[in-house]
Amino acid sequence: MLVLGLLLLGAAGAFTGLVIADNLSGGPEYTVSVLGQDIVTMNTLAVFCSGLALALIFCAGLGAVASTAVHRHRERPRTYAAHQDGPGR
């Protein structure tokens, strides 16, 4: 689960960075291109909704990483200190 979460975090971050870097021109219609390939032409509402979807994917990856970290923290066996006088005293 940790690897899947880290993969989602990295993929969402890399894709967002590439899209922002390759599409700095503005206008009413945006042609989204990644690595020189035109993917789709979107209006401002579609760009906003795709940003929400990428944020949701990023948060899902972050949640997977966080839940794995909490789960691993709770798996540690508890150690109890032995009494000096022995049991029952």
Side-chain angles (χ1 to χ4, degrees):
M1 197 66 159
L2 178 67
V3 174
L4 180 64
L6 289 174
L7 183 66
L8 283 174
L9 285 173
F15 185 75
T16 303
L18 284 172
V19 167
I20 289 172
D22 287 343
N23 298 292
L24 292 177
S25 62
E29 295 285 324
Y30 299 94
T31 302
V32 178
S33 63
V34 175
L35 300 175
Q37 300 293 322
D38 292 340
I39 297 175
V40 68
T41 301
M42 306 171 99
N43 61 11
T44 54
L45 179 62
V47 170
F48 177 74
C49 290
S50 64
L52 288 176
L54 275 172
L56 183 65
I57 291 170
F58 184 81
C59 288
L62 191 62
V65 170
S67 70
T68 303
V70 168
H71 180 68
R72 285 186 180 203
H73 177 70
R74 291 185 184 175
E75 276 187 11
R76 294 181 187 157
R78 293 186 179 187
T79 57
Y80 297 100
H83 292 278
Q84 297 294 334
D85 298 333
R89 293 187 187 195

